[in-house]
């Protein structure tokens, strides 16, 4: 029979499903291998050809590893909470669960068609209560934990309470809020339960904090930064305000250092590691306190309830420049600005603050040229030099970084230099090697300090530790490490997410009882905030905690469910645990993770954080969750265009000119649906039928054809360049699609989709099928011994594919398969022993056709998934003949083809009977014949 891909593919997909062929064993003697794909958000649009790229690669690897004797876990699921389903619900009233269910069904159908070897018995959906029960459970563990700096790990909150009982805050070293109290054990004993809870909340790994959010009153919701453009909502264009709200936060900063260190132990793409390093942003420097001079405001408390400040603390990475400080700057939002402004300067400062409110933080960071600021009227004292310097505010200082205050060193920093020059502030030269003011000086290359009091004559390396010690001794500062990373906000005022398992009583948060989990997302009538601006969950009726009070109304953010899902796959059905101890011990971590790079500082950072946390509490084993990561490139769209001719007035006509002739006309390029174009040739009838406006279109053709223009763009509906895998599978089959997607180029590279070459891959598979069939398409293989040439072809491809897959170079194997099949076709090879091994080698790429041939070869029991990958034998690649250069008295005379197995006496015998050689000898007898096997024959006469 000819290659009937449709029947074959359906048959094997059914076989795999019926027999649960890819179900990973929970207990196995085999070594484990865990291959994970980033699970998809099931959107309404379904899959396009770009989506499966990574899945195909991971599937090839999984199938290969099974053949190599591993117990492979290769699961799939859905990240099914999220905004699109909720937006759709708002517009249509359709419950997001229903939309989600329908979308998942489409995804599943599409995934099944591609023939993935997923273990569907372990499927997870983050929006299912049986799953989010454990997301909520992890939240509870976080709430019940604190970070102990001494042990450098998260611990149960009870160990903190024990410390409070035993010695108060004296030996507590924690990552916690800044406003924690200092107290003695006797104080703690007198705290009311409420006071204790307030204090403990400042230490918990998840805690409530007032944070600024983008609030859009018209939409009644909080928006993410990327949903806001220039102060307006991206959707609808409504004004967005900054609003302070109490929000749940995750103390990810406790792990900043471990998140950095871990990067050195994992095999991830360097750019992703670098993005995480920058995001965490570790800076080694010092904090220094500048005393406020002329303190007019004694014995007063600020509106915020804090006592009047008597110093400003700055964070600097260049404490060595402290003698060059000529002013201090606060961020305009700094909490003490109003208090520290003198009456004379009040107007200036207020005007300036009003002006900066218009700029976003990003704009402020990006702008390195504009100089602006205002003087508070107040002065501070440099603790090291004793100099009195003015205190300014300026928007180049960000409130959220360091201490929100900097010391201005015009001779050390470009920005400070601009600022000082603009406002006529002194510039103090501090290094002897500076001929003029050298901005952004590299301290390690610079000379010795001058005008710098007691560090005069020291170098940078000497000055920094010296100053740090000095500051600490005098209690005016100390060495400090600062991180750019902030704690992560953990909550949004939306419906379609995990309810946070917390209720409030008397204004304080309490966890629900563990037995109450999952705390089910309640039904509501409308998916919008209430009229008073409360989140949608406020609409839920009869949703009241057993203890009274009210439940938390925000839900978890999109990243909650995906921050631990790889553990659930290890033991997806467990009702008593997020995964059993045994399962976690066996599967440990993900060996290979494939997914997009857009998750660099989101999912991939949060997952590492939760992983470390779960390990600290002893629930899991590994410090890092994903040993190796590969980012697959984006598949871009390949758009096609038609060229509509415009008349002399620029008005559109109804005539379309082929791309090669368009220069002669005035035209407009219009996107045309790539599905009615083949090899860049437009199907004219389909075009006319495509849209009403083209029904009467006329064409100017070249060579009888209409050739379309081409451009590479993002794959998107609006560009009519979306290629759907379903159509290609219908036409060529999944095996062709799988191989073709790999053939497009290196996995990590972004590349345009181009269907033009798919035919070639299809032909290859048909040619492969042909090897097993005679002219009449009857299955015929021979049991004869393979020839040397056949064995050589086979072993070449065994080695190549093995090496390629181990290097994750999937594209290069495809062309090697083609070469091998061509060679075997030329050799007219239909030997069972060769073809059977070929079937196994090709099966990770094109599993359906290979399964079918495997059975036809007589392996009646079915699937080849667990057979062994053929062993490479280098002997078959060894060349058995060699063209020996023959030289006489050191001069090369001729070549002689000889078997490499021949020993010297035989070589000599053959040589002496060779006519050509006899001619060169010219009657002389050789005195000596030097023979080096596989290299040379040297004759001395
Ligand atoms: C004095 C100085 C002299 C500085 C010098 C630099 C060079 P990174 O590496 O990013 O941590 N800074 C501190 N807090 C700031 C804030 N909230 N907004 C804007 N700038 C801030 O850089 C830390 C340096 O950035 C600090 O060291 C401080 O300027 C500034 F020759 O202090 B430096």
């Amino acid at each position: 029979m000819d290659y009937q891909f449709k029947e074959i593919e359906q048959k094997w997909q059914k076989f795999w499903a019926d027999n649960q062929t890819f179900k990973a064993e929970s207990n196995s003697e085999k070594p484990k291998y865990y291959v994970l794909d980033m699970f998809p958000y099931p959107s309404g649009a379904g899959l396009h050809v770009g989506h499966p790229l990574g899945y195909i690669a991971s599937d090839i690897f999984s199938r290969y590893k099974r053949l190599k004797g591993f117990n492979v876990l290769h699961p799939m699921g859905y990240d099914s909470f999220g905004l699109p389903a909720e937006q759709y619900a708002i517009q249509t009233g359709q419950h997001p669960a229903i939309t989600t269910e329908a979308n998942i069904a489409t995804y599943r159908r599409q995934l099944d068609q591609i023939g993935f070897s997923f273990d569907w018995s372990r499927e997870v959906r983050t929006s299912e209560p049986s799953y989010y029960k454990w997301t909520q459970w992890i939240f509870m563990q976080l709430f019940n934990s604190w970070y102990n700096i001494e042990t450098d790990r998260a611990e149960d909150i009870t160990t903190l309470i024990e410390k409070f009982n035993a010695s108060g805050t004296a030996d507590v070293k924690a990552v916690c809020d800044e406003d924690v109290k200092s107290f003695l054990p006797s104080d703690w004993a007198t705290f009311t339960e409420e006071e204790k809870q307030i204090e403990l909340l400042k230490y918990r790994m998840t805690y409530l904090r007032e944070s600024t959010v983008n609030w859009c009153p018209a939409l009644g919701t909080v928006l993410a930064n990327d949903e806001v453009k220039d102060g307006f909502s991206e959707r609808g264009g409504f004004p967005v305000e900054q609003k302070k709200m109490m929000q749940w936060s995750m103390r990810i900063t406790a792990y900043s250092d471990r998140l950095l260190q871990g990067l050195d132990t994992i095999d991830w793409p360097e750019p992703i590691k670098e993005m995480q390093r920058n995001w965490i942003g570790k800076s080694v420097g010092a904090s220094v306190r500048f005393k406020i001079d002329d303190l007019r405001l004694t014995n007063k408390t600020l509106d915020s309830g804090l006592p009047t400040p008597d110093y400003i603390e700055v964070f600097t990475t260049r404490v060595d420049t402290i003698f060059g400080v000529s002013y201090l700057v606060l961020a305009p939002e700094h909490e003490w600005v109003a208090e520290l402004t003198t009456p004379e300067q009040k107007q200036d400062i207020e005007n300036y603050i009003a002006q900066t409110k218009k700029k976003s933080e990003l704009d402020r960071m990006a702008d390195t040229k504009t100089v602006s600021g205002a003087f508070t009227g107040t002065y501070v004292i440099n603790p090291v030099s004793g100099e009195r310097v003015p205190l300014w505010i300026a928007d180049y200082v960000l409130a959220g970084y360091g201490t929100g205050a900097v010391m201005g060193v015009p001779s050390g920093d470009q920005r400070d230099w601009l600022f000082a020059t603009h406002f006529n502030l002194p510039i103090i030269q501090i290094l002897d090697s500076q001929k003029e003011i050298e901005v952004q000086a590299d301290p390690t290359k610079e000379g010795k300090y001058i005008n710098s009091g007691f560090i005069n004559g020291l170098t940078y390396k000497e000055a920094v530790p010296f100053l740090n010690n000095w500051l600490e001794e005098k209690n005016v500062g100390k060495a400090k490490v600062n991180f750019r990373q902030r704690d992560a906000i953990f909550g949004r005022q939306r419906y379609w997410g995990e309810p946070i398992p917390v209720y409030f009583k008397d204004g304080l948060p309490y966890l629900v009882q563990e037995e109450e989990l999952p705390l089910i997302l309640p039904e509501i009538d409308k998916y919008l905030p209430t009229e008073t601006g409360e989140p949608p969950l406020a609409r839920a009726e009869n949703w009241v905690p057993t203890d009274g009070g009210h439940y938390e109304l925000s839900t978890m953010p999109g990243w909650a469910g995906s921050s631990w899902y790889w553990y659930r796959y290890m033991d997806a059905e467990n009702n008593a645990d997020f995964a059993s101890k045994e399962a976690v011990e066996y599967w440990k971590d993900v060996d290979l993770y494939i997914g997009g790079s857009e998750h660099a500082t989101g999912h991939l950072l949060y997952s590492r954080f939760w992983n470390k946390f779960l390990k600290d509490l002893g629930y899991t084993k590994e410090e890092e969750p994903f040993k190796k990561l590969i980012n697959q490139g984006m598949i871009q769209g390949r758009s096609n265009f038609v060229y509509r001719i415009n008349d002399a007035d620029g008005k559109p006509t109804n005539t379309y000119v082929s791309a090669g002739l368009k220069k002669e006309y005035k035209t407009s390029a219009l996107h045309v649906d790539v599905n009615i174009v083949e090899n860049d040739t437009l199907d004219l009838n389909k075009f006319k039928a495509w849209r009403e406006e083209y029904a009467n279109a006329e064409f100017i053709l070249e060579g009888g054809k209409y050739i379309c223009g081409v451009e590479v763009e993002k794959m998107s509906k609006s560009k009519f360049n979306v290629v759907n895998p379903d159509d290609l599978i219908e036409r060529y089959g999944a095996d062709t699609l799988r191989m073709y997607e790999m053939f497009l180029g290196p996995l990590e590279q972004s590349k345009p989709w181009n269907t033009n070459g798919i035919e070639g891959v299809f032909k290859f598979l048909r040619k492969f099928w042909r090897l097993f069939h005679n002219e009449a398409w009857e299955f015929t293989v021979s049991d004869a011994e393979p020839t040397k040439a056949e064995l050589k072809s086979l072993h070449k491809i065994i080695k190549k594919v093995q090496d390629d897959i181990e290097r994750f170079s999937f594209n290069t194997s495809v062309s090697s398969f083609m070469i091998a099949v061509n060679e075997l076709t030329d050799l007219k090879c239909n030997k069972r022993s060769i073809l059977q091994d070929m079937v196994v080698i090709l099966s990770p790429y094109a599993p359906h056709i290979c399964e079918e041939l495997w059975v036809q070869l007589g392996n009646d029991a079915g699937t080849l998934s667990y057979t062994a990958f053929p062993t490479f034998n280098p002997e078959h690649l060894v060349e058995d003949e060699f063209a020996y250069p023959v030289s006489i008295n050191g001069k090369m005379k001729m070549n002689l083809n000889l078997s490499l197995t021949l020993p010297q006496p035989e070589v000599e015998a053959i040589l002496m009977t060779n006519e050509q050689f006899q001619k060169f000898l010219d009657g002389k007898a050789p005195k000596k014949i030097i023979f080096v096997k596989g290299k040379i024959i040297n004759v001395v006469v």
Side-chain angles (χ1 to χ4, degrees):
M1 229 189 339
D2 196 352
Y3 172 38
Q4 305 287 351
F5 61 85
K6 230 177 249 174
E7 281 153 40
I8 294 173
E9 292 184 356
Q10 276 166 13
K11 168 178 164 190
W12 285 99
Q13 282 162 15
K14 182 166 185 313
F15 178 95
W16 296 330
D18 290 350
N19 292 284
Q20 297 212 23
T21 305
F22 306 112
K23 197 171 153 96
E25 292 166 50
S26 296
N27 279 306
S28 174
E29 293 291 291
K30 294 179 181 177
K32 70 101 188 184
Y33 200 89
Y34 189 170
V35 182
L36 183 68
D37 295 291
M38 288 185 186
F39 62 166
Y41 172 77
S43 85
L47 293 176
H48 68 55
V49 288
H51 295 125
L53 184 79
Y55 304 159
I56 295 172
S58 65
D59 198 57
I60 291 173
F61 204 78
S62 304
R63 287 175 179 273
Y64 171 77
K65 277 288 182 185
R66 285 189 200 101
L67 295 173
K68 282 287 189 180
F70 288 83
N71 180 25
V72 173
L73 175 54
H74 184 39
M76 186 41 90
Y78 306 96
D79 192 11
S80 46
F81 271 134
L83 287 187
E86 178 156 356
Q87 284 311 125
Y88 191 70
I90 293 170
Q91 286 157 18
T92 63
Q94 165 109 280
H95 196 292
I98 297 175
T99 321
T100 304
E101 184 80 37
N103 292 348
I104 286 179
T106 307
Y107 267 64
R108 179 63 195 271
R109 184 183 55 72
Q110 289 189 299
L111 292 171
D112 279 348
Q113 275 185 16
I114 304 175
F116 291 124
S117 63
F118 293 131
D119 176 353
W120 285 109
S121 71
R122 296 167 187 260
E123 183 199 285
V124 302
R125 299 178 182 189
T126 55
S127 58
E128 282 297 319
S130 61
Y131 180 89
Y132 69 65
K133 168 180 179 179
W134 298 107
T135 313
Q136 292 172 333
W137 178 84
I138 293 172
F139 178 93
M140 293 173 67
Q141 309 310 307
L142 285 152
F143 186 87
N144 276 332
S145 303
W146 66 295
Y147 201 93
N148 186 347
I149 293 176
E150 271 172 342
T151 55
D152 199 17
R153 64 181 191 86
E155 291 180 10
D156 197 286
I157 198 85
T158 51
T159 66
L160 179 67
I161 298 171
E162 277 162 23
K163 278 179 186 278
F164 286 167
N165 281 330
S167 47
T169 47
D171 10 284
V172 172
K173 281 200 172 158
V175 181
C176 54
D177 290 0
E178 267 163 24
D179 60 343
V180 291
K181 293 191 174 130
S182 296
F183 50 79
L184 298 167
S186 50
D187 300 329
W188 177 249
T190 64
F191 282 9
T192 62
E193 182 54 28
E194 196 183 331
E195 284 168 329
K196 286 182 176 172
Q197 288 305 327
I198 291 173
E199 208 47 33
L200 287 172
L201 195 55
K202 299 175 185 169
Y203 290 85
R204 297 182 187 277
M205 293 297 295
T206 182
Y207 60 99
L208 277 170
R209 185 182 66 173
E210 190 173 68
S211 27
T212 314
V213 294
N214 303 308
W215 171 249
C216 178
L219 292 173
T221 188
V222 170
L223 299 173
N225 282 338
D226 56 353
E227 293 174 310
V228 185
K229 285 257 145 71
D230 303 325
F232 292 90
S233 64
E234 200 172 35
R235 198 166 44 82
F238 302 111
V240 175
E241 311 167 349
Q242 302 290 302
K243 185 174 151 184
K244 292 211 159 155
M245 269 176 81
M246 286 305 263
Q247 291 261 42
W248 286 99
S249 270
M250 286 279 160
R251 221 178 281 283
I252 187 173
T253 50
Y255 288 92
S256 294
D257 246 324
R258 280 168 64 187
L259 287 167
L260 270 183
Q261 286 159 15
L263 289 174
D264 298 332
T265 68
I266 49 184
D267 181 6
W268 284 22
E270 210 36 59
I272 297 269
K273 289 195 193 180
E274 210 40 41
M275 278 162 88
Q276 292 210 345
R277 285 189 191 109
N278 288 336
W279 184 265
I280 296 165
K282 181 175 182 173
S283 281
V284 179
S287 65
V288 187
R289 294 171 177 183
F290 286 69
K291 197 166 167 21
I292 295 161
D293 201 21
D294 314 324
L295 195 63
R296 289 155 294 107
L297 314 136
T298 36
N299 303 324
K300 196 186 147 209
T301 42
L302 301 178
D303 294 345
S304 55
L306 299 171
T308 316
D310 59 2
Y311 58 81
I312 302 283
E313 187 167 295
V314 302
F315 172 72
T316 176
T317 45
R318 291 290 306 276
V319 66
D320 59 301
T321 64
I322 194 152
F323 285 93
V325 173
S326 54
Y327 62 98
L328 229 64
V329 197
L330 301 180
E333 302 84 353
H334 196 286
E335 54 183 341
W336 297 338
V337 171
E339 263 70 19
L340 295 175
T341 302
T342 60
E344 303 78 55
Q345 291 302 109
K346 191 162 183 265
Q347 197 56 46
D348 267 16
I349 290 285
E350 281 175 3
N351 290 349
Y352 184 69
I353 291 175
Q355 184 191 321
T356 55
K357 281 226 166 103
K358 295 185 196 138
K359 276 204 212 163
S360 77
E361 192 156 292
L362 270 174
D363 293 340
R364 281 166 58 173
M365 283 197 286
D367 188 355
T368 51
K369 302 238 159 57
T370 330
V371 181
S372 68
F375 177 42
T376 60
T378 298
Y379 289 82
V380 294
I381 309 281
N382 183 328
V384 185
S385 67
E387 286 281 318
R388 187 169 178 266
V389 296
L391 178 67
W392 286 66
I393 65 169
D395 68 6
Y396 77 78
V397 179
L398 305 174
Y401 185 66
T403 57
V406 309
M407 57 187 215
V409 186
S411 56
D413 182 89
Q414 164 94 51
R415 263 180 340 194
D416 297 354
W417 184 81
L418 284 172
F419 194 85
T421 322
H422 188 86
F423 292 113
N424 224 357
L425 294 159
I427 294 166
I428 307 156
Q429 193 188 326
I430 44 168
L431 284 163
D432 61 0
S433 64
Q434 279 174 316
K435 308 272 178 304
E436 51 199 60
I437 291 146
E438 282 175 18
V439 289
Q440 294 290 350
D442 176 354
T444 52
K445 287 196 200 122
E446 286 303 327
K448 305 207 161 114
Y449 294 94
I450 55 169
N451 301 324
S452 294
F454 57 81
I455 63 163
N456 272 342
L458 297 190
T459 62
Y460 170 80
K461 281 212 174 102
E462 295 160 342
V464 172
F466 188 76
L467 276 164
N468 283 342
N469 279 337
W470 190 93
L471 290 168
E472 184 145 18
E473 252 165 45
K474 300 278 188 293
N475 199 22
V476 287
K478 58 174 183 235
K480 189 177 169 188
V481 175
N482 198 49
F483 290 92
R484 178 156 283 130
Q485 181 179 36
R486 296 276 82 100
D487 280 344
I489 291 182
F490 193 77
R492 55 180 179 188
Q493 289 59 52
R494 295 282 196 157
Y495 177 69
W496 192 230
E498 302 86 345
I500 293 175
V502 163
Y503 66 95
F504 288 86
K505 223 175 155 179
D506 308 322
L508 277 179
Y510 295 93
L511 290 180
V512 304
Q513 294 297 311
E514 207 172 310
E515 301 78 61
E516 277 181 65
L517 295 186
L519 178 62
I520 301 276
L521 186 63
E523 296 299 322
I524 54 175
D525 56 346
K526 252 205 235 164
Y527 304 98
L528 285 172
T530 64
E531 279 66 40
T532 54
E534 283 191 296
L537 285 188
R539 294 175 177 275
E541 281 170 27
N542 305 323
W543 193 51
V544 191
T546 22
D547 277 8
H550 68 87
Y551 283 121
E552 167 65 56
L553 297 178
S554 46
T555 51
M556 296 190 193
W559 56 270
S562 56
S563 293
W564 70 280
Y565 75 117
W566 65 96
Y567 283 118
R568 190 62 182 166
Y569 284 136
M570 295 177 184
D571 192 12
E573 311 244 281
N574 197 327
N575 279 328
D577 251 318
F578 71 98
S580 72
K581 251 194 148 62
E582 299 75 54
V584 171
E585 216 144 280
Y586 178 73
W587 292 109
K588 291 190 180 69
D589 55 6
V590 172
D591 296 283
L592 172 65
Y593 196 18
I594 300 189
S597 58
E598 64 273 23
H599 302 290
T601 52
H603 162 64
L604 287 172
L605 201 57
Y606 296 133
S607 295
R608 296 182 59 220
F609 159 40
W610 278 25
N611 187 76
K612 287 177 196 298
F613 171 73
L614 289 171
K615 181 189 173 230
D616 283 355
L617 294 199
Y619 292 119
T620 63
K621 295 278 150 196
E622 301 295 316
E623 178 76 10
E624 288 293 333
F626 315 126
K627 261 196 271 205
K628 177 171 180 71
L629 173 75
I630 299 181
N631 295 129
Q632 85 271 19
M634 280 259 291
I635 297 257
Q636 294 144 317
R638 187 175 183 281
S639 307
N640 278 123
F641 296 88
V642 292
Y643 301 94
R644 189 184 59 205
I645 297 180
N646 299 320
D647 66 16
D649 303 332
K651 277 209 205 113
T653 69
N654 205 10
T655 307
Y656 299 81
V657 59
S658 186
L661 306 172
K662 75 173 200 294
K663 274 202 198 105
E664 297 160 33
Y665 303 86
K666 276 193 181 155
T667 60
S668 306
L670 306 173
H671 278 100
V672 58
D673 186 351
V674 294
N675 295 300
I676 59 172
V677 176
E678 196 158 341
N679 286 334
D680 296 332
T681 305
L682 182 68
D683 184 322
L684 302 182
N685 289 330
K686 283 189 187 159
F687 180 69
K688 287 182 179 179
W690 182 40
R691 299 179 137 195
E692 219 174 299
E693 63 212 85
Y694 301 135
N696 299 315
E698 287 173 17
F699 305 94
I700 300 175
L701 306 176
E702 48 183 319
K705 286 181 179 171
Y706 188 100
I707 308 292
C708 295
V710 177
E711 220 170 276
V712 172
E713 300 176 297
K714 191 176 156 20
M715 198 170 272
S716 116
K717 269 189 183 165
S718 65
K719 298 185 163 62
F720 300 107
N721 60 4
V722 175
V723 183
N724 187 309
D726 300 11
D727 299 341
L728 293 171
I729 289 171
E730 175 67 27
R731 229 166 126 185
Y732 300 105
D735 283 338
T736 297
L737 177 78
R738 291 169 63 106
M739 289 201 85
Y740 189 58
E741 292 229 0
M742 292 298 101
F743 188 55
L744 281 178
L747 178 62
E748 297 91 334
Q749 234 169 54
S750 287
K751 55 226 158 199
W753 178 263
N754 175 355
T755 314
N756 295 351
I758 198 167
E759 197 82 34
V761 173
F762 178 72
K763 282 192 185 135
F764 153 75
L765 282 178
R766 196 158 172 259
K767 201 163 181 182
F768 181 62
W769 180 260
R770 177 104 250 179
L771 283 176
F772 300 75
H773 294 84
N774 63 17
E775 292 293 307
W777 289 108
E778 286 157 351
F779 187 87
T780 2
V781 292
S782 115
D783 284 319
E785 281 295 302
T787 65
K788 277 199 168 157
E790 288 166 348
L791 282 167
K792 188 170 161 193
S793 274
L794 175 70
H795 283 267
K796 248 189 347 198
I797 189 81
I798 296 176
K799 177 162 169 38
K800 175 78 170 125
V801 171
Q802 182 166 310
D803 289 354
D804 283 352
I805 297 185
E806 304 264 0
R807 286 184 298 123
F808 309 97
S809 172
F810 301 102
N811 60 316
T812 44
S813 295
V814 180
S815 38
S816 307
F817 279 127
M818 293 178 175
I819 294 170
V821 167
N822 283 342
E823 283 173 3
L824 293 174
T825 305
D826 290 345
L827 293 168
K828 299 202 166 44
C829 172
N830 70 343
K831 310 273 169 60
R832 178 188 301 277
S833 63
I834 299 285
L835 295 187
Q836 175 143 320
D837 278 356
M838 283 298 287
V839 161
V840 179
I841 307 163
L842 182 66
S843 66
Y845 286 79
H848 309 86
I849 189 174
C850 292
E851 289 274 33
E852 182 64 23
L853 290 167
W854 175 256
V855 169
Q856 294 204 23
L857 282 165
N859 303 291
D860 305 328
T863 189
L864 55 61
S865 301
Y866 296 94
T867 187
F869 196 84
T871 316
F872 168 62
N873 182 351
E875 277 171 25
H876 295 301
L877 296 199
V878 174
E879 297 290 337
D880 45 6
E881 277 205 341
F882 182 69
Y884 281 96
V886 180
S887 41
I888 300 177
N889 290 343
K891 271 197 188 141
M892 227 285 267
K893 297 285 180 198
M894 59 178 278
N895 280 312
L896 186 63
N897 266 344
L898 290 173
S899 162
L900 275 165
T901 53
L902 293 179
Q904 180 154 359
E906 283 173 47
V907 170
E908 284 183 18
I910 296 171
L911 188 64
M912 293 312 290
T913 56
N914 184 288
E915 262 177 50
Q916 204 187 355
F917 181 66
Q918 286 302 334
K919 270 191 206 147
F920 285 123
L921 276 186
D922 202 12
K924 293 178 203 143
K927 286 192 194 122
K928 193 172 175 194
I929 297 178
I930 302 155
F931 169 73
V932 187
K933 196 175 204 161
K935 291 239 157 71
I936 198 169
I937 306 172
N938 210 344
V939 184
V940 184
V941 291

